Amino acid sequence: MQEVGFIEIKDDHIVIHDWDAVNASLIASWNNGGKGGRRPKKNPEKTHGLSVGVPNKTQTEPIREEKMRLEKIGECGASDEAPPPAPNSKFIAPTKKQVAEHIWNTAKAKKLEIAEDKTESMAEQIFCHYENADWRLSGGKGGKMKDWKLAVTKWIMGDVEDGKIKRARA
């Protein structure tokens, strides 16, 4: 710092050049939340009437991830053949036969027109896709799959939306 002229040593004292301007700038930045920061809260102990601290003391209702997961599955329209896997349970990849059976059961439940030979080829396509991705989401780049039946149902419903599969006429 001495080489660039920011500080200088005179009579065993360190002299900082333009310290008043630098200090004023630092204080102004701190007070104004400089560089994109926010001003500090006037009362950091309270936020929206709830105290900031240990979550179990401030949280009014327990978080239920299982309940949210069940609600999402219901929205997607997965069949009620088996409950979703428990959280933290180990994923077990299905066989081609299980994928084909799930496609057939979903087609019946949702009244879709899928021929049996088409079911087998779809099962082969879906199975190979996810097997190649090591049963991971986003083409092998995402996290490990938790519920293969939900993924297969989503694939089928995507084909329905794209017009590749038609709904049965009533």
Side-chain angles (χ1 to χ4, degrees):
M1 292 214 197
Q2 195 174 3
E3 294 164 354
V4 292
F6 184 70
I7 62 170
E8 184 180 355
I9 299 176
K10 285 186 180 177
D11 301 327
D12 294 331
H13 295 302
I14 297 175
V15 178
I16 301 173
H17 296 286
D18 299 323
W19 173 247
D20 292 337
V22 171
N23 192 33
S25 173
L26 290 172
I27 291 171
S29 293
W30 180 61
N31 287 337
N32 295 327
K35 296 186 180 179
R38 296 177 67 183
R39 290 184 182 174
K41 293 185 178 186
K42 293 178 182 173
N43 187 358
E45 293 301 315
K46 296 216 174 206
T47 308
H48 302 290
L50 296 174
S51 64
V52 178
V54 182
N56 61 3
K57 291 181 181 176
T58 59
Q59 192 157 343
T60 58
E61 186 177 310
I63 297 174
R64 298 291 304 205
E65 291 182 18
E66 302 86 28
K67 185 176 180 183
M68 290 189 296
R69 176 138 174 84
L70 287 173
E71 289 169 359
K72 286 181 185 175
I73 290 173
E75 290 172 9
C76 185
S79 60
D80 296 331
E81 296 171 3
N88 301 330
S89 65
K90 188 173 185 211
F91 175 79
I92 299 171
T95 62
K96 286 182 198 175
K97 183 178 179 184
Q98 288 174 314
V99 173
E101 287 172 0
H102 182 69
I103 292 171
W104 185 252
N105 292 336
T106 302
K108 284 196 303 188
K110 297 196 175 291
K111 298 181 172 112
L112 304 174
E113 292 180 357
I114 302 178
E116 197 166 339
D117 59 332
K118 172 88 172 166
T119 304
E120 295 297 323
S121 66
M122 273 184 72
E124 177 81 21
Q125 181 184 13
I126 294 170
F127 180 83
C128 290
H129 171 81
Y130 284 117
E131 186 71 20
N132 187 41
D134 193 29
W135 293 93
R136 292 188 175 275
L137 303 171
S138 301
K141 299 174 190 162
K144 194 78 168 169
M145 187 178 293
K146 294 177 183 170
D147 185 359
W148 66 267
K149 289 182 179 184
L150 188 61
V152 171
T153 302
K154 185 176 177 187
W155 185 303
I156 293 168
M157 297 316 292
D159 283 356
V160 170
E161 288 178 16
D162 292 344
K164 296 177 186 175
I165 300 174
K166 296 188 180 359
R167 294 193 181 271
R169 294 186 180 119

